[in-house]
Amino acid sequence: DPQERAFQERIDAGGKIEPKDWMPDGYRKTLIRQIGQHAHSEIVGQLPEGNWITRAPTLERKAILLAKVQDEAGHGLYLYCAAETLGVTRDQMTRDLLSGKMKYSSIFNYPTLTWADMGAVGWLVDGAAIMNQVPLQRTSYGPYARAMVRICKEESFHQRQGFDIMMKMAKGTPEQKRMAQDALNRFWYPSLMMFGPSDAESVHSAQSMAWKIKMNSNDELRQKFVDLTAPQADYLGLTIPDENLKWNEEKGGYDFSEPDWDEFFDVLKGNGPCSVERLEDRNRAWDEGRWVREAMLAHADKKRAAKLAAE
Amino acid sequence: DPQERAFQERIDAGGKIEPKDWMPDGYRKTLIRQIGQHAHSEIVGQLPEGNWITRAPTLERKAILLAKVQDEAGHGLYLYCAAETLGVTRDQMTRDLLSGKMKYSSIFNYPTLTWADMGAVGWLVDGAAIMNQVPLQRTSYGPYARAMVRICKEESFHQRQGFDIMMKMAKGTPEQKRMAQDALNRFWYPSLMMFGPSDAESVHSAQSMAWKIKMNSNDELRQKFVDLTAPQADYLGLTIPDENLKWNEEKGGYDFSEPDWDEFFDVLKGNGPCSVERLEDRNRAWDEGRWVREAMLAHADKKRAAKLAAE
Amino acid sequence: MGELQKNTRFEHLLRLADTNLILGHRMSEWIGKSPILEEELALTNIGLDLIGQARALYEHAVAVSGEEDNRDADDLVFLRDAPEYKNLLLVERENGDFAHTMVRQMFYSAFAVPVWEALTRSVDSEVAGIAGRAEKESLYHLRHASEWILRMGDGTEESHQRVQDAVDALWMYTGEMFDMDEVETAAFEAGHGVDLTAVRSEWEKTVREVLTAATLDYPEDCWMLKGGRTGKHTEHLGHLLSDMQFLQRAYPGQKW
Amino acid sequence: MGELQKNTRFEHLLRLADTNLILGHRMSEWIGKSPILEEELALTNIGLDLIGQARALYEHAVAVSGEEDNRDADDLVFLRDAPEYKNLLLVERENGDFAHTMVRQMFYSAFAVPVWEALTRSVDSEVAGIAGRAEKESLYHLRHASEWILRMGDGTEESHQRVQDAVDALWMYTGEMFDMDEVETAAFEAGHGVDLTAVRSEWEKTVREVLTAATLDYPEDCWMLKGGRTGKHTEHLGHLLSDMQFLQRAYPGQKW
């Protein structure tokens, strides 16, 4: 197919695909899935942090966390907009999220149990997210790449704030340090899982790489994340819960244990500790907001009708 | 009317009226109103205490408060049963409560703002209630009198428990003492109001006294309450918020200030600080329980039908 | 214009700060529950503005109280129990539905705008500075809430009913705002405060305009609840505080 | 039968106590919200029983821990944060509707009855004594909840659906009950604890009977959540504690 060949050549040459350009069906579908899932993750990702906003321990922490969660809603908006350029509506994607048809990042199915989790989420979860996202600023689909540029700028800020919370806890009282270590223990492996299973087992990977909607292999990014994070844990005086973690001079990176992939696939199937609750919460918000959205539409219709009548 | 005369003579002679006896319409109606209102007060009265049950400061206090609120539900039951002997159903009375047609004691329209309020409610509110209820053990209507005997036994226990909370607070830290004094300040006048307006302004009083469904005048009971309570406040080291309170040797009782009767009538009209919320809470419980009550009836019907079919 | 006593000045600042803090906190409870995504951003924005205003006021209050009182802004927020809070009752009410939240916001912002405007002329230059920024923010809050009330009032039958219910239910909390007690009077006379009775007519005008445009009934005069400014609250506040203050209470004196 | 280490014995008592306390606390949240008045009495009764059981266990745990740990029963309840609580996850769930509350109670009581029964033979005579009374109470709780499940299951279409939803939603919290970890195993082997794997079959039998009678489906095997006994809780517990512990946290060391 010459059209397809031209498309691939354009990508290979570093060109950007824009909404009105021709694209293969698979490209469109994969992108919708990927961007939609990313958008949903921003939205569902508000919930574990929302759980601690009302309990933030200082005014400053409260404001920072609120601003962060607001940014996440904003990222959700950018991404839904990017996905909409591919011919799907935000409402449709939302319905697919609420019915469980579309996924979001499994990490948000873990509970946030102490204030230190706000640190761990920022440091590890946002850290892993950035690792995934930075290369996507160069992705082949224009609207997606541009959304990523805006998002990455804010995410790195969040990651620093998370690290700062972690630092305060790790250098705090013995109780605080215990909470920090416990948060690291609980979030370490789920964070490693955020890069997805080893490429050998990952579906779609090769095609997505060719299309430049996936820029690096999962294992490659995971390695980078560990290499960056392990010294940070050291600096905090915390211990990564992996006996096998150690520097490998030869490969110039850390050796580390694989996460429990059975757990990963379990959580993916909806068996995370909070999977049910997260979807329940999103569904409740959607259902309880129905009358508001209806009012909004009804009012807009009335205004339009009045305007027409006046013309 | 000879029937009415015989009825009154029986009452005058200290006889009891029983459900199947003839009684004047006014007697029946007044009793339904009075017993129903009393029953409703027990039910609504659970709410201000329920507000602190989950925050009770020790296991013992938690258990005592739970048991007390349970007793109140029990009192409600006795009283609804007594009222039902007069030919009205509990459901009808409940609906009249929920629609605002029937009243409950205005005291429960005041909020409970600190733990000391649990003391003040027991000491003052239950204290005032007992003052009203003890003579009603000799009321002319049999079922009502018998319900009162059971209730009074438990109420005096509650009153002692309230006093005990108050004592702990009044003899505690300066913060606790401040809370205790503040609770007394807020509950003193509303407690005085519990006896109703001065007899001069009270409707129905004379007839109710003749029928022995009211045994003492409002002012008489209020005076008794003040005479009993003032020394208790002294003992606690708390100050009753009334500059005019002082012992009057001549009358053998305390002089004291009248409560603000404008406020009383305002609250009676539904303008108490918590009037709206109390009725909202009761309505919500009733509405949310509808499907349970329907299930209960449907299941009973099924069982009855199955039993009939088997016969 | 007399000198304002230090404790009256502190008390006056605390009232303003507490009201903004508690309303900001209520807004933060909306996280993850908004009817549309855009509103998630807007409600958080309002919450951030209010908490920011509160924080500036607490910090100034701490400076005003000086050495006699060694509490910092976080101590004021996280270590006072309900009777020491001096916020308006209106803002401590549970959020209820979106209509209740928006009507509460409109009632408060229609009050806050003229109050901040007057405070830009406070003899306390720090307060005047805070007020300048806060007035602009409150204008945005007022516009935002009013637009929603218009949509809901002139939307569907259900939304009209819900927003009218909210107006009626919250009305009895509005009277307290204009109450000139000793503290407010002293603050006003010393050039630190605002003549709240004068604010009332502007508030009524704003509210009437919003409700009329939204085809809603302006409530009749009714009994008004008060007590917030003197620490006599509703039962709602204690529960808000037990949540908000948990960490500072459970782990006293730690750095976060 | 070996000697049980003091800290394992303490831990084992704490797990039992915490589970009963938290469920009792959840029951107390029903005050003023029951669907019928008789149930207001019954739910409070269950709550009182459970809190009473917890209290006896905490007091015994305090005695067991001896001088090394100078906390009293109230300290254990009011001054531990969520990760130190060792209750089953099932009981910390928010109440939900009446169906959820009754199913949760039935699931727990069907477990508690054989556990208490076995504990009447504990080598710890204090525990055996507590268990004797608690077994009778739990039997009543089980019967009470089962009767309601029957009424709801075999009631209206709506009630059937609600109670089935509750069964399905709570199922994943039940597996944890039968988990024999180190503490449970050590306690069992020393004659202090219960063989929970053996309890499972009795539990399944009871639950199956109740559900069948109520025309409800017995759920299929599914993934089971765990962590409560080792302090890894759901997000619900922290909110429960911030409410429950407020006074002791805000006014430390005072007498009530």
Side-chain angles (χ1 to χ4, degrees), chain B residues 266-286:
Chain B
D266 238 353
V267 177
L268 206 65
K269 272 189 293 185
N271 290 333
C274 297
S275 306
V276 177
E277 274 149 306
R278 299 293 185 236
L279 269 193
E280 268 176 9
D281 283 351
R282 289 310 313 157
N283 272 289
R284 191 178 310 115
W286 185 250

Side-chain angles (χ1 to χ4, degrees), chain A residues 47-48 51 54-55 110-114 178-179 182 186 266 270-274 276-278 280, chain D residues 81-84 93 100 169 172-173 222-225 231-240 242:
Chain A
L47 299 174
N51 184 41
T54 58
R55 287 179 288 178
Y110 291 88
T112 52
L113 298 181
T114 72
R178 207 177 314 127
M179 282 193 238
D182 173 63
R186 285 182 286 106
D266 238 355
N271 291 333
C274 298
V276 177
E277 273 148 305
R278 300 291 186 237
E280 269 176 8
Chain D
D81 198 359
E84 298 159 85
R93 287 254 320 190
H100 276 75
M172 74 171 179
Y173 296 93
C222 80
W223 177 80
M224 289 289 171
L225 192 56
K232 282 173 76 175
H233 291 277
T234 66
E235 289 174 358
H236 301 278
L237 186 63
H239 297 282
L240 181 153
S242 71

Side-chain angles (χ1 to χ4, degrees), chain B residues 15-84:
Chain B
K16 289 273 181 264
I17 310 299
E18 294 300 331
K20 296 196 170 158
D21 295 340
W22 181 88
M23 59 188 83
D25 253 22
Y27 180 83
R28 186 185 301 273
K29 274 189 196 148
T30 308
L31 266 179
I32 289 178
R33 186 165 48 80
Q34 184 172 327
I35 303 176
Q37 196 164 314
H38 189 168
H40 296 331
S41 299
E42 298 283 355
I43 302 308
V44 178
Q46 294 187 295
L47 300 173
E49 286 170 319
N51 184 41
W52 282 92
I53 279 185
T54 58
R55 287 179 288 177
T58 69
L59 280 175
E60 187 180 5
R61 290 289 173 208
K62 196 185 199 74
I64 290 175
L65 191 56
L66 261 173
K68 179 184 175 189
V69 174
Q70 188 186 33
D71 283 347
E72 285 159 8
H75 298 175
L77 263 186
Y78 305 159
L79 289 161
Y80 283 126
C81 289
E84 283 188 322

Side-chain angles (χ1 to χ4, degrees), chain D residues 10 14 58 61-62 71-80 85:
Chain D
F10 182 76
L14 215 54
Y58 285 125
V62 165
R71 291 180 293 181
D72 67 15
D74 284 326
D75 293 339
L76 290 177
V77 172
F78 295 99
L79 299 178
R80 279 181 304 149
Y85 261 84

Side-chain angles (χ1 to χ4, degrees), chain D residues 164-183:
Chain D
Q164 183 71 58
D165 286 350
V167 167
D168 296 343
L170 293 169
W171 195 250
M172 74 171 179
Y173 296 93
T174 60
E176 181 190 34
M177 298 194 288
F178 312 105
D179 202 30
M180 286 298 280
D181 65 2
E182 274 180 33
V183 172

Side-chain angles (χ1 to χ4, degrees), chain B residues 17-301:
Chain B
I17 310 299
E18 294 300 331
K20 296 196 170 158
D21 295 340
W22 181 88
M23 59 188 83
D25 253 22
Y27 180 83
R28 186 185 301 273
K29 274 189 196 148
T30 308
L31 266 179
I32 289 178
R33 186 165 48 80
Q34 184 172 327
I35 303 176
Q37 196 164 314
H38 189 168
H40 296 331
S41 299
E42 298 283 355
I43 302 308
V44 178
Q46 294 187 295
L47 300 173
E49 286 170 319
N51 184 41
W52 282 92
I53 279 185
T54 58
R55 287 179 288 177
T58 69
L59 280 175
E60 187 180 5
R61 290 289 173 208
K62 196 185 199 74
I64 290 175
L65 191 56
L66 261 173
K68 179 184 175 189
V69 174
Q70 188 186 33
D71 283 347
E72 285 159 8
H75 298 175
L77 263 186
Y78 305 159
L79 289 161
Y80 283 126
C81 289
E84 283 188 322
T85 63
L86 292 158
V88 62
T89 67
R90 198 212 295 182
D91 263 24
Q92 185 51 53
M93 286 184 281
T94 301
R95 258 180 274 272
D96 286 347
L97 166 68
L98 298 179
S99 71
K101 196 179 146 196
M102 279 182 89
K103 299 288 175 205
Y104 54 88
S105 178
S106 287
I107 191 81
F108 302 119
N109 289 325
Y110 291 89
T112 52
L113 299 180
T114 74
W115 174 252
D117 290 11
M118 295 302 99
V121 166
W123 172 40
L124 301 174
V125 177
D126 290 322
I130 294 171
M131 210 56 87
N132 272 324
Q133 289 163 3
V134 164
L136 287 174
Q137 296 178 97
R138 295 175 290 107
T139 187
S140 63
Y141 187 59
Y144 189 23
R146 289 189 290 275
M148 275 304 153
V149 172
R150 298 176 68 177
I151 290 174
C152 282
K153 212 181 302 170
E154 294 174 354
E155 288 286 12
S156 71
F157 196 55
H158 297 165
Q159 203 256 354
R160 277 205 304 279
Q161 289 163 347
F163 189 77
D164 186 51
I165 291 178
M166 222 49 193
M167 183 113 87
K168 276 282 195 317
M169 302 290 284
K171 308 286 181 199
T173 63
E175 278 167 318
Q176 286 178 309
K177 178 157 185 182
R178 207 178 314 126
M179 282 193 237
Q181 180 64 53
D182 174 62
L184 171 56
N185 294 349
R186 284 182 287 105
F187 278 97
W188 174 253
Y189 286 107
S191 299
L192 294 189
M193 292 181 199
M194 286 178 69
F195 300 96
S198 188
D199 299 278
E201 298 171 52
S202 181
V203 241
H204 312 302
S205 274
Q207 178 63 74
S208 288
M209 298 269 279
W211 277 336
K212 291 196 187 164
I213 52 186
K214 184 180 167 81
M215 310 298 286
N216 305 77
S217 85
N218 295 348
D219 289 332
E220 201 180 321
L221 291 172
R222 186 163 24 240
Q223 180 70 53
K224 258 181 101 170
F225 174 76
V226 174
D227 291 347
L228 196 80
T229 310
Q232 292 173 343
D234 260 2
Y235 179 78
L236 291 170
L238 298 177
T239 308
I240 288 175
D242 179 0
E243 286 179 5
N244 301 316
L245 185 88
K246 74 164 183 288
W247 179 255
N248 179 332
E249 193 60 50
E250 205 172 330
K251 79 172 181 188
Y254 285 85
D255 290 333
F256 58 95
S257 304
E258 287 285 302
D260 176 351
W261 292 111
D262 288 343
E263 179 180 321
F264 175 79
F265 288 108
D266 238 353
V267 177
L268 206 65
K269 272 189 293 185
N271 290 333
C274 297
S275 306
V276 177
E277 274 149 306
R278 299 293 185 236
L279 269 193
E280 268 176 9
D281 283 351
R282 289 310 313 157
N283 272 289
R284 191 178 310 115
W286 185 250
D287 293 343
E288 288 181 356
R290 175 167 298 122
W291 69 270
V292 181
R293 295 189 302 274
E294 285 169 0
M296 197 171 72
L297 293 176
H299 181 72
D301 284 349

